[in-house]
Amino acid sequence: MWSRFEEVHRSRPVSLVGRERTSGFVAPFAAIEVELSTHDVAGRVVAGFGAEGFRLEGWYDGGRRLAGVDLTDPAGHTSHHRSRRHGRPPTPPDALGVMLTGRQVTVLTRHDDVWTARGKVELDHDVDPATLSPEVGWQPRQRDQASPVAHWRSGASGQLGVRDVHVVTHADGTPYERDGLLFLALTHAGPGFFGTGRCGVWAFDPTTFAVEHRSDLWFRREGVVRGDHATHLVRDGDRWLVATSTWATFDHAPEAQRRVGITLAITDADLLEGEHVLDSAPVSLPDHALPPPVVGTWDPHLARIEGHWHLAFVAARKFFDFYPALARAAEPGRLEGWRLLGAATDRRATEGTLLARVDGDWRVLASDGPQGRRGQRRRFPVFDLDLAEVGALEADHPTNLPWPSVVELADGSALMLTFDGTTYAGELPGYGTHGDFVVLRASPPTGRTESSAGASDLTPTDDRQDRP
């Protein structure tokens, strides 16, 4: 087992706009940032998107020091939305921002480099991303007033924080490396609940702990492109396997019909660069082998063990009462015919499942949240492949439900790449804007040298035929 993990780094990658563009959107996730040249805004700055005859606009009125959202339908009817509690910035802003994240439109203002949500509204329909057209305007109070818009940019929505940290791996569970960098699949936190998040791939420098956004992954289900997230990428030969959780539609379903599942996409595209829409298909897990009821499954993590694919995941009795489980494919090399190996049904708030080698043995790592039973709170349990607990990682447990993504380095030390529950953008968004990116480190075991670091180091092994 590794020595104790201690926090050594944290960062907060925030950007309303991710990949810049003014057209050619492939998912209903878009944003605009408008820089203001003056605090003395006497009129109204408007920013938003045209889409299928609709107009989705955020605005800031400097005369009233008030921000809000206007929605106009194809018939020309406009509804006005503003928050009485949060719509008025305490000081004039430096910038105006508008985010479309799935079905939510949010207006934000920025002051001293911090964005705060001032208003939001939920749409009752999906937006066709191909029709999105960004627009910025100025409505002066007097005809001769100059526009306060210094410049603006638009593109796919970025993130207010990151969470659900999974290291991109090879099929044998070792980290995928390119040019000295590792790669992470992260959930981009949006300005709201699960439906405002989505998945991105980031490069990670294990020496400086810096992260850099590299690619965006979108998932097409039932003909609609979604922002599904809580994702694991696996390099298997010359293809990518992408297992993800269907959180994108959770917010919109009636409470009695809410369900989350796991899907799988397979592609030979280079997912570490660019923007990709993946056709994903449901994974048929052995729900019948779990104690009923089972209302959802999420947090997939894949590894090939002795020729058979194994899938660690989370199962829920209700929202939110959940526990870790593990399934094994019936036939070697096949990603189907899943059979349950075990489930830690004594848990009620444990997720972030992942498969890893610990002291040479395959284990399932997970995270016990603060809502767990006594003795099962704020810790990182370690399970065998029957899902019996065999120990726990010695580590600081950040807030929320941080995932224990552990990477062993060539010097024998290990990093845990995770996140916490630190929120962003004020009180209006509610749960979902977390978190900080957090790195913890464990020192090398006594007497271990670089030459004895073992097969789990970052040095490629001979069976990796998978450089794209």
Side-chain angles (χ1 to χ4, degrees), residues 146 197 396:
D396 297 330

Side-chain angles (χ1 to χ4, degrees), residues 270-302:
D270 183 3
L271 298 186
L272 304 188
E273 301 289 345
E275 190 170 20
H276 306 271
V277 176
L278 304 175
D279 290 301
S280 60
V283 174
S284 297
L285 288 171
D287 290 1
H288 62 279
L290 294 167
V294 178
V295 301
T297 53
W298 61 81
D299 291 3
H301 193 272
L302 286 164

Side-chain angles (χ1 to χ4, degrees), residues 66-85:
L66 190 65
V69 177
D70 288 352
L71 303 180
T72 304
D73 65 21
H77 301 127
T78 300
S79 59
H80 307 281
H81 309 266
R82 67 181 181 88
S83 169
R84 292 184 178 181
R85 182 178 178 186

Side-chain angles (χ1 to χ4, degrees), residues 14 35 94-95 109-116 424:
V14 172
E35 296 290 334
D94 304 316
T109 60
R110 195 190 70 213
H111 182 73
D112 290 340
D113 292 326
V114 177
W115 289 100
T116 303
Y424 188 84

Side-chain angles (χ1 to χ4, degrees), residues 14-27 29-33 49 99-100 132 134 152-159 183-184 188 198-203 212-218 270-277:
V14 172
S15 179
L16 267 60
V17 174
R19 193 173 304 278
E20 292 193 32
R21 59 161 38 96
T22 57
S23 62
F25 293 88
V26 299
F29 286 78
I32 298 177
E33 296 181 17
F49 298 89
M99 300 183 78
L100 169 65
L132 286 171
W152 61 277
R153 67 191 190 109
S154 65
S157 62
Q159 71 288 329
F183 294 85
L184 311 175
H188 290 203
R198 51 89 163 198
C199 179
V201 180
W202 295 62
E212 179 186 16
H213 177 226
R214 288 295 186 86
S215 71
D216 300 295
L217 304 184
W218 312 102
D270 183 3
L271 298 186
L272 304 188
E273 301 289 345
E275 190 170 20
H276 306 271
V277 176

Side-chain angles (χ1 to χ4, degrees), residues 27-28 50-52 56 100 102-103 123 125-132 224-225:
E52 304 174 277
L56 320 172
L100 169 65
R103 289 188 179 182
L123 305 177
H125 63 283
D126 292 311
V127 174
D128 181 356
T131 67
L132 286 171
V224 180
V225 178

